[in-house]
Amino acid sequence: MGLITSALQIGKSALMAYQSALQVVGNNISNAGSAAYTRQTAVLNPAGGIPLPEGFTPGGGVALTALKRNLDEALENRIRRSIGDQNDALARRQALGRIEAVLNELSDTDLSSALAGLFNAFSALQNTPHDAGARGIVLTAADTLVREIQRQRNDALLLRDELNGDIADAAAKADDLARQIARLNQQ
């Protein structure tokens, strides 16, 4: 009677495992048009049997042990890399835009305008070296240039500190996300 029960159990495990595999196939078919769905494959493995008194262990049938998502890893890696490159370019563009605002190069109060003003004042002083007014203009132009250099330096240092803070915040956020993923993987 034990052999008949064992054979029936093996048959039952096969029917249950293949019924579950057919449910996975049905799920794949019903979600075939969904862009967010990834096709799944049922993983079937032999089930261990009960050892016989003679020392042999016959098979115990089959069991559904896992569901495997079918992904193209090379394509997934390319997508991840492309998203990273895109985010890198966006971050660089934002940082360079902020640096551009600090330099303020397309205005009348930028570094090149201050340098041009100083060189023009020296040129005027060269033509009239004994004129006190021309000397005063050179000193004023030099003072304007020095103030613009100091302003740009201070703004650049503040921007550097802001960008470093942004990087530290992003790293802390990435660490937090990695910890959350690790907890989810354990669950």
Side-chain angles (χ1 to χ4, degrees), residues 132-156:
R135 289 180 184 180
I137 292 173
V138 167
L139 291 175
T140 302
D143 186 51
T144 302
L145 176 64
V146 167
R147 275 196 244 122
E148 180 61 22
I149 290 172
Q150 288 173 341
R151 182 198 66 78
Q152 285 188 10
R153 179 184 184 277
N154 290 336
D155 289 352

Side-chain angles (χ1 to χ4, degrees), residues 112-172:
S112 62
S113 297
L115 279 169
L118 179 65
F119 291 145
N120 289 339
F122 271 123
S123 179
L125 180 65
Q126 179 183 356
N127 294 334
T128 57
H130 298 298
D131 185 12
R135 289 180 184 180
I137 292 173
V138 167
L139 291 175
T140 302
D143 186 51
T144 302
L145 176 64
V146 167
R147 275 196 244 122
E148 180 61 22
I149 290 172
Q150 288 173 341
R151 182 198 66 78
Q152 285 188 10
R153 179 184 184 277
N154 290 336
D155 289 352
L157 291 175
L158 287 173
L159 180 61
R160 179 198 64 189
D161 293 341
E162 286 178 27
L163 291 174
N164 284 341
D166 291 347
I167 291 170
D169 291 344

